[in-house]
Amino acid sequence: MKTLTAVMGLLIAICLGGCWNNIDLTETRFVTAVGIDLNEEGRYVLTVNIMKPSSGKADAGGSSGKSTIIQSTGYTIFDAARNMIEYSGYKLSYHHMQYLAIGTEAAKKDIIGPLDLFFRDQELSGRHWVLYVEGKAESLLRTKGNTNDIQPLKINEQMIASRSVGKYPPVRSLDLMRMLATKEKVGYIPISHPFKSLKESREAGAVIIKDGKAVSSINETQVRGLLWVTGKIKSTIVIVPLKKPGQYGSIEVLDSKAKIRPVLENNQLTIQITVHPHGIIGSLDHPIPMDSETYKWLQMKVNQIIKEEINAAVAIAKKNKADIFGFHDYVHRKYPKEWKVWEPQWPEHFSQLEVKVNVQSKLLLNGLLAEQLGEK
């Protein structure tokens, strides 16, 4: 008994030590961004942005820390990552990685394979962003930042801020892992269009992933349709044409909830989507009287626009036979017996699925100013 107690005490002491696998800061360098591409030989090209340790003294530009970009190649990403030591002189740490970008050729070949290392690595929390880059992912890493020249931190800021736009779907690594954990390996990641600097860059749209590969891009309208259905709209602006040509109103959506309900009648499966956006009138470029009839008309127009965006997203998803909405989860839960029959051919069933959309928007009464001004 004494021996057992001693052994357990020793094991507890080892586990509570907390520093069994620590690496001194002088023995490593921190990676803040990763790019994955393919070269002409079909090997993976790994590009990393590394933060150099600060000396504590600011340089002529006022910055006390800098970053550098290095590359390596390998038959696998793990192979390329180990080969990176030859160029960096250090075993790199990915604890502080802000984003991982994958280029067009690599994404069309396979996304799951090259990302597998970053999914498995216990050092990572799965909170870094995953981006699709048209062309080479390397080009995004070489884009200059405009906040202390720390480009990966600026990308992180853009991803967080994009939630207030509603036209760009920021996806973290952990989210992507969950999406791809299906038989069809279906999901989506945002598209980044790199330019010479982040002041010029523009994030818009997304790419559909099917069978673990990038298969089709979707535009801003279709992306927002996707976000309406998945309940990921936190804030966005809906532009409503007013009654006179060339005049528009901006409706600010402050919150939106979605309900997805599969219905099976006469052996015919239908997906019913109900969206409840709540918002206010952000601005009107032409004053109009704000009575109850006007509010009803504005709500009707908002409902129509959102419904069109959702239908556009459903159409592109059905065309690619890619259930990016996760309808299969709802069907599986409600009709488990039928799902066993549908599951093997779900992509085909999804492409022919009838989807009914119902939008019930609610606008708060904040039109006092326009009502006072009246219609000109």
Side-chain angles (χ1 to χ4, degrees):
M1 190 66 181
K2 291 182 179 180
T3 303
L4 179 60
T5 303
V7 171
M8 291 182 65
L10 180 60
L11 290 174
I12 293 173
I14 293 174
C15 293
L16 294 179
C19 298
W20 64 275
N21 67 338
N22 77 308
I23 300 176
D24 195 276
L25 289 177
T26 60
E27 299 175 0
T28 189
R29 292 293 181 267
F30 293 107
V31 174
T32 54
V34 171
I36 297 175
D37 292 301
L38 286 178
N39 64 13
E40 295 178 355
E41 299 174 349
R43 296 186 184 181
Y44 286 109
V45 178
L46 189 65
T47 306
V48 298
N49 186 309
I50 300 175
M51 289 298 297
K52 294 181 179 179
S54 172
S55 63
K57 298 180 180 180
D59 57 21
S63 175
S64 59
K66 295 182 178 179
S67 63
T68 186
I69 292 178
I70 58 176
Q71 285 183 320
S72 67
T73 59
Y75 290 97
T76 66
I77 293 298
F78 200 177
D79 183 30
R82 281 301 172 90
N83 292 339
M84 192 72 72
I85 298 176
E86 179 182 349
Y87 302 96
S88 66
Y90 299 90
K91 185 176 180 179
L92 303 178
S93 171
Y94 295 85
H95 282 83
H96 301 283
M97 182 167 65
Q98 301 296 310
Y99 72 85
L100 187 153
I102 185 166
T104 300
E105 294 302 319
K108 287 183 176 180
K109 178 184 178 183
D110 182 25
I111 287 181
I112 297 178
L115 297 190
D116 184 72
L117 171 63
F118 302 98
F119 288 161
R120 294 177 183 272
D121 196 331
Q122 297 179 354
E123 293 182 357
L124 302 177
S125 63
R127 292 189 58 78
H128 55 275
W129 307 104
V130 182
L131 310 174
Y132 171 88
V133 179
E134 292 188 337
K136 295 289 186 180
E138 173 191 352
S139 61
L140 180 61
L141 273 72
R142 296 189 183 279
T143 302
K144 294 183 179 180
N146 56 6
T147 305
N148 295 326
D149 291 329
I150 305 177
Q151 188 259 18
L153 295 182
K154 184 59 181 177
I155 291 288
N156 179 58
E157 293 171 1
Q158 288 184 337
M159 293 296 102
I160 295 174
S162 67
R163 294 170 177 171
S164 298
V165 179
K167 297 181 181 180
Y168 191 66
V171 174
R172 295 190 186 273
S173 176
L174 186 59
D175 299 326
L176 182 60
M177 289 171 61
R178 290 169 177 166
M179 282 191 281
L180 298 181
T182 60
K183 181 180 178 181
E184 290 78 26
K185 296 179 174 57
V186 170
Y188 56 88
I189 52 177
I191 297 176
S192 181
H193 304 273
F195 294 91
K196 292 182 179 180
S197 76
L198 287 177
K199 292 180 179 179
E200 305 173 54
S201 67
R202 181 171 180 266
E203 281 66 39
V207 63
I208 294 176
I209 302 170
K210 183 183 178 185
D211 296 324
K213 304 175 184 179
V215 295
S216 176
S217 61
I218 55 180
N219 59 34
E220 292 181 10
T221 299
Q222 295 161 340
V223 164
R224 192 157 70 169
L226 166 64
L227 297 179
W228 289 120
V229 176
T230 53
K232 294 181 179 179
I233 291 288
K234 303 303 179 185
S235 177
T236 190
I237 302 296
V238 177
I239 305 300
V240 177
L242 300 180
K243 295 182 179 181
K244 291 185 178 181
Q247 297 177 358
Y248 299 91
S250 299
I251 306 301
E252 181 181 6
V253 175
L254 304 175
D255 184 34
S256 179
K257 300 185 183 302
K259 182 178 180 181
I260 299 174
R261 189 167 72 96
V263 177
L264 182 61
E265 294 180 350
N266 300 321
N267 204 33
Q268 179 68 37
L269 179 65
T270 302
I271 297 293
Q272 296 181 353
I273 302 172
T274 304
V275 181
H276 297 274
H278 295 126
I280 60 175
I281 298 174
S283 68
L284 299 171
D285 66 4
H286 182 78
I288 56 178
M290 284 293 106
D291 52 27
S292 60
E293 290 301 317
T294 301
Y295 265 90
K296 289 180 181 179
W297 180 82
L298 285 173
Q299 287 180 164
M300 181 270 294
K301 295 297 291 185
V302 170
N303 293 345
Q304 179 183 342
I305 292 170
I306 294 176
K307 184 175 181 179
E308 290 174 354
E309 292 179 346
I310 293 174
N311 286 333
V314 170
I316 189 68
K318 290 171 68 174
K319 180 180 178 180
N320 287 278
K321 300 182 179 180
D323 182 9
I324 56 178
F325 308 96
F327 290 158
H328 55 88
D329 283 335
Y330 296 90
V331 176
H332 185 194
R333 287 197 295 266
K334 189 170 183 180
Y335 302 108
K337 293 182 179 179
E338 290 80 358
W339 174 250
K340 292 180 181 179
V341 178
W342 294 331
E343 183 180 14
Q345 299 297 325
W346 178 247
E348 191 65 34
H349 283 296
F350 172 77
S351 67
Q352 301 175 16
L353 195 63
E354 182 181 6
V355 178
K356 297 181 179 180
V357 181
N358 180 25
V359 182
Q360 300 175 4
S361 63
K362 182 178 181 181
L363 302 182
L364 300 179
L365 296 173
N366 66 325
L368 181 59
L369 177 61
E371 185 178 10
Q372 290 175 334
L373 292 174
E375 186 174 6
K376 293 181 178 181

